Amino acid sequence: MTLPIIRLSGLDKFYGEFQALSQINLDIKTGEFFSLLGPSGCGKTTLLRAIAGFETLSSGSLQIDGLSMEGVPANKRPTNMVFQSYAIFPHMSVAENVAYGLKARKLPKVEIKARVAEAIDMVGLQGFDERASHALSGGQRQRVALARALVLKPRVLLLDEPLSALDKKLREQMQSELRRLQRAVGITFVLVTHDQEEALTMSDRIAVMFDGKIAQVASPQILYGKPSTRKVAAFIGMMNFLDAKVLAASGDNVEVEVQSLGKLTLSLEQATGGLNGCDSVGVRPEMLTILTGSQTSEREIEAEVTEVSYYGDMTYYDVKFPSKEDPITVTMRNTAGREVLEVGAKARVGWSTSSLLLLK
Amino acid sequence: MRGKIGFFRWFIGFFLLFLYAPAMLLPIFAFNASSIVSFPLTGFTTEWFLVLFTNETLHLAARNSLLIAITTAIFSTLLAVLAARASTRFSFFGRRSIMGFVMLPMVLPEIIIGVSLLVVIIQMGFELSLWSITMGHILICTPFCIAILSSAFMNLDKSLEEASFDLGQTRWNTFWLVIFPLVMPGIVASLLIAFTISLDEFIIAFFLAGTEPTLPVYIWGQLRFPAKLPSLMALGTVLLLVSIGLLLIADYFRRRGIRKTGIENTGGFL
Ligand SMILES: Nc1ncnc2c1ncn2[C@@H]1O[C@H](COP(=O)(O)OP(=O)(O)OP(=O)(O)O)[C@@H](O)[C@H]1O
Ligand SMILES: [Mg+2]
């Protein structure tokens, strides 16, 4: 077991009376692509800036590479940051921007030149060396910011919503490029984002934050497949919730009652956040199917289609059970020969007990 | 609709006429070959300008004015850099009211500043000198400099500083490598504005001048002699050109600064 590159323990941050971060405990592993994900205002930037050294901690400790960062200013930390606004120095050329940190380290001119060229190459900005930085596009600025930080070979690269200013197409392209870059350089990346899709596709692990607290830290698969609370489940992708009551638990089995589905026996593992306080079951829309013709499923329930949203490759159905509960969503892939149902149509919804999660 | 626009045009026209027609009289009479300042014009001469070259007292006054203006420009800008930086970057108790008080001399009648400074200096037993005028000028110029520099500092993205620090540079070097080059145009503009204001300031200079007059005080003194009037017109023409020139240069630098930081140009005085 290698030492975590970043270890946060019991970290609190107050702005006056307001607590922006509370009791953050987090280990980030060396060389991983780690994301901080959460809604606006949950404290992601504050946490990232605390790691970078721009915010002082109210209490708790921060270790980078096994060393306490207490009293270590930002310019002495083995971290570099890519700012949301990119913060490219407007009065310098691309090459001068990239060379900035190396010059601060007073490296020999020859080495600076070689490393700058290498970094500019790495981010695909060959030939832009002498370009004035205000004459760059958003994507190019982003690359300069990356090159400027990576050229210093930091132990950790911190990125604060680096893709949010780019349009969709460019954003997707930069996502895979960032991932490729991270694998190539092997540096630990800590990415702040409020875009769950971005976090899922890019990260090795993700910390989901709400209101200054970490709700869950897990790999994308686990976060999506086994979210520990209802809040996390609702934030990552779509999830249907049905009120449920835990009747009994014995050994590995949990007896629950769900209004429309009746009494069910689930495995204890399906209570991903522990059994205490569970009051609903959740199921992902794609875990449900609308059965056609002679198709059968482990379980079936009659429902009525109340809303149809057609997305080309997928159709989103809102269906209502005979009981009084709110409609739930079912997504179906539009494979060959599958008919798109209309509002008001009767549908047989197929489901299985193993796809349910017991959540609080 | 048309009527409104028409009225507006007339208004602008008259406004500009009132504003600039008197100033336009200066060069006209400066080149008029008559010692009496009145229409009709009698001929063309550069005699009045030549007179300026031989007038010793005028040279002394001009030298005093330059000295004061340069000192004022440097000190006001220096103070304004500190104030602008503090007010845009740090939040401290009573920042708004402190900035309000610092900016107050901009709207305070100069005669009040002049009289009160005179009282203070005399009470404290100091001699009136070029220094006392300089102090007064720094007092009234600093707010203008702060206004210019505040916008220069405010336009500066805070993350630029943080980025520099993050890349391993010290705070001191960050100031010189990142902040200073980016606010440089603002500093030049501030220097020029303070210089211009100080150069033609009369009231404070009049109250605080001891035995050494500044240029405006000298001009005022000469107005008693009608024969001197044409050469004063010539002097006025020179000052007018210098002032306009300096303002143009100041605005050029302000615009260049805006272009450099990539921010859209908003307003300005030219
Ligand atoms: N300097 C500050 N003074 C007071 N409150 C602050 C300060 N900086 C941040 N906050 C507050 O702390 C909370 C967390 O802010 P933070 O910037 O970390 O959010 P975030 O998760 O990055 O949000 P976003 O996705 O919108 O960037 C917010 O409620 C914010 O208002
Ligand atoms: Mg943020």
Side-chain angles (χ1 to χ4, degrees):
Chain A
M1 185 65 204
T2 50
L3 216 62
I5 183 80
I6 293 178
R7 167 162 285 176
L8 305 165
S9 20
L11 195 151
D12 287 315
K13 173 69 190 176
F14 286 89
Y15 289 115
E17 293 280 283
F18 178 75
Q19 185 161 19
L21 295 174
S22 70
Q23 283 303 306
I24 303 284
N25 294 300
L26 184 62
D27 279 357
I28 297 175
K29 294 179 200 153
T30 308
E32 77 177 330
F33 197 122
F34 193 91
S35 293
L36 296 170
L37 175 66
S40 187
C42 71
K44 309 179 293 287
T45 298
T46 308
L47 183 54
L48 200 73
R49 289 171 56 83
I51 296 172
F54 293 124
E55 305 283 352
T56 51
L57 311 181
S58 302
S59 62
S61 77
L62 160 62
Q63 286 183 2
I64 300 179
D65 223 359
L67 299 172
S68 166
M69 286 294 121
E70 197 176 324
V72 181
N75 62 345
K76 296 276 186 327
R77 293 192 182 190
T79 58
N80 282 116
M81 185 133 163
V82 173
F83 291 81
Q84 187 165 8
S85 59
Y86 308 144
I88 305 295
F89 303 128
H91 55 305
M92 297 181 192
S93 69
V94 169
E96 283 170 331
N97 263 284
V98 177
Y100 191 87
L102 297 170
K103 281 185 187 152
R105 281 164 181 66
K106 303 211 168 59
L107 296 179
K109 277 219 169 68
V110 197
E111 190 186 341
I112 293 182
K113 214 168 158 208
R115 279 173 71 173
V116 166
E118 189 191 347
I120 288 179
D121 246 28
M122 184 172 61
V123 297
L125 279 181
Q126 298 90 330
F128 282 86
D129 309 47
E130 296 312 316
R131 182 74 75 92
S133 49
H134 58 77
L136 294 173
S137 72
Q140 290 163 343
R141 282 160 178 272
Q142 153 97 83
R143 287 162 204 267
V144 175
L146 273 170
R148 188 176 68 177
L150 286 175
V151 75
L152 300 175
K153 305 200 164 84
R155 301 284 287 136
V156 182
L157 185 71
L158 308 168
L159 305 107
D160 190 0
E161 310 220 17
L163 307 176
S164 61
L166 307 179
D167 61 50
K168 191 167 186 296
K169 196 98 191 251
L170 191 54
R171 192 161 62 224
E172 278 162 9
Q173 184 194 336
M174 284 306 295
Q175 278 174 6
S176 56
E177 210 161 308
L178 261 184
R179 191 66 245 238
R180 176 189 63 74
L181 210 56
Q182 193 266 338
R183 290 214 179 92
V185 295
I187 291 171
T188 310
F189 277 32
V190 180
L191 174 88
V192 160
T193 178
H194 62 257
D195 180 346
Q196 44 114 355
E197 218 170 280
E198 189 171 296
L200 288 177
T201 53
M202 296 171 78
S203 325
D204 293 316
R205 285 196 310 147
I206 301 168
V208 181
M209 294 178 67
F210 296 113
D211 301 324
K213 297 188 192 76
I214 291 185
Q216 187 174 8
V217 184
S219 68
Q221 288 91 330
I222 293 187
L223 211 54
Y224 189 83
K226 297 185 184 326
S228 63
T229 66
R230 206 175 144 146
K231 213 168 169 187
V232 173
F235 191 71
I236 312 278
M238 247 199 277
M239 176 85 91
N240 296 303
F241 298 104
L242 297 166
D243 291 341
K245 212 163 101 190
V246 178
L247 300 176
S250 63
D252 244 6
N253 290 333
V254 187
E255 194 89 19
V256 295
E257 182 171 9
V258 183
Q259 194 183 14
S260 14
L261 308 178
K263 276 190 191 163
L264 306 167
T265 308
L266 303 179
S267 110
L268 194 59
E269 266 176 33
Q270 285 168 273
T272 44
L275 206 50
N276 247 346
C278 286
D279 57 3
S280 54
V281 294
V283 58
R284 296 281 182 198
E286 71 274 14
M287 292 295 179
L288 303 170
T289 34
I290 290 184
L291 302 168
T292 56
S294 58
Q295 272 186 319
T296 55
S297 165
E298 181 199 323
R299 303 281 185 121
E300 290 179 27
I301 182 167
E302 283 294 327
E304 188 192 322
V305 177
T306 60
E307 182 86 58
V308 179
S309 315
Y310 181 73
Y311 283 87
D313 57 337
M314 306 282 285
T315 308
Y316 287 51
Y317 294 104
D318 283 356
V319 300
K320 197 166 166 31
F321 297 138
S323 54
K324 291 279 178 297
E325 287 165 314
D326 290 335
I328 64 169
T329 306
V330 180
T331 55
M332 291 305 299
R333 189 155 285 288
N334 292 327
T335 49
R338 174 169 277 280
E339 240 179 276
V340 175
L341 297 178
E342 306 208 337
V343 175
K346 291 271 174 258
R348 277 192 300 136
V349 176
W351 58 283
S352 67
T353 44
S354 62
S355 63
L356 300 184
L357 293 174
L358 191 53
L359 297 167
K360 59 175 166 265
Chain B
M1 203 55 206
R2 266 204 73 81
K4 248 188 196 167
I5 291 178
F7 169 78
F8 196 61
R9 284 220 181 106
W10 278 106
F11 176 76
I12 298 260
F14 274 114
F15 184 78
L16 292 178
L17 193 69
F18 274 111
L19 202 59
Y20 289 111
M24 282 350 286
L25 291 179
L26 281 178
I28 291 174
F29 285 110
F31 290 105
N32 184 23
S34 156
S35 60
I36 300 159
V37 175
S38 74
F39 287 107
L41 302 178
T42 51
F44 180 82
T45 178
T46 51
E47 181 195 339
W48 310 123
F49 285 92
L50 296 177
V51 170
L52 299 180
F53 282 104
T54 53
N55 187 336
E56 282 294 322
T57 13
L58 167 65
H59 291 176
L60 207 62
R63 203 200 54 146
N64 288 343
S65 269
L66 277 180
L67 223 69
I68 292 172
I70 291 172
T71 318
T72 301
I74 292 172
F75 278 96
S76 321
T77 302
L78 212 63
L79 290 173
V81 165
L82 300 177
R85 169 98 179 136
S87 76
T88 53
R89 195 50 89 233
F90 307 108
S91 58
F92 43 87
F93 178 74
R95 186 186 62 178
R96 275 170 176 277
S97 33
I98 290 175
M99 287 315 289
F101 275 117
V102 173
M103 301 301 275
L104 197 60
M106 214 154 140
V107 290
L108 221 54
E110 279 181 26
I111 192 144
I112 292 181
I113 299 177
V115 171
S116 42
L117 279 179
L118 182 65
V119 171
V120 169
I121 288 172
I122 295 201
Q123 284 295 316
M124 287 172 71
F126 289 117
E127 292 276 315
L128 291 178
S129 66
L130 293 186
W131 279 112
S132 48
I133 302 176
T134 310
M135 301 274 206
H137 282 186
I138 291 175
L139 189 69
I140 56 159
C141 288
T142 304
F144 289 94
C145 297
I146 291 177
I148 291 172
L149 286 167
S150 287
S151 82
F153 275 102
M154 214 139 31
N155 285 342
L156 211 59
D157 182 359
K158 187 180 179 206
S159 55
L160 289 176
E161 260 171 73
E162 288 182 340
S164 164
F165 198 50
D166 184 66
L167 291 168
Q169 203 51 274
T170 58
R171 288 210 185 277
W172 176 250
N173 283 344
T174 295
F175 185 83
W176 290 110
L177 292 173
V178 176
I179 302 171
F180 189 73
L182 291 177
V183 296
M184 188 59 201
I187 290 178
V188 173
S190 159
L191 284 171
L192 292 173
I193 293 281
F195 181 87
T196 313
I197 294 175
S198 166
L199 195 65
D200 64 8
E201 197 286 329
F202 172 69
I203 300 174
I204 290 177
F206 180 69
F207 274 95
L208 301 183
T211 50
E212 303 168 282
T214 65
L215 207 48
V217 175
Y218 166 82
I219 292 174
W220 185 82
Q222 298 300 300
L223 285 175
R224 277 172 295 166
F225 314 113
K228 293 276 176 80
L229 219 46
S231 69
L232 287 181
M233 291 287 180
L235 181 58
T237 306
V238 172
L239 285 177
L240 191 69
L241 289 178
V242 168
S243 299
I244 291 176
L246 288 177
L247 279 177
L248 284 175
I249 296 172
D251 200 58
Y252 165 77
F253 275 100
R254 192 189 62 82
R255 275 165 203 271
R256 206 178 70 154
I258 285 172
R259 228 179 317 120
K260 247 199 210 168
T261 41
I263 296 157
E264 205 142 305
N265 190 357
T266 47
F269 33 75
L270 284 176

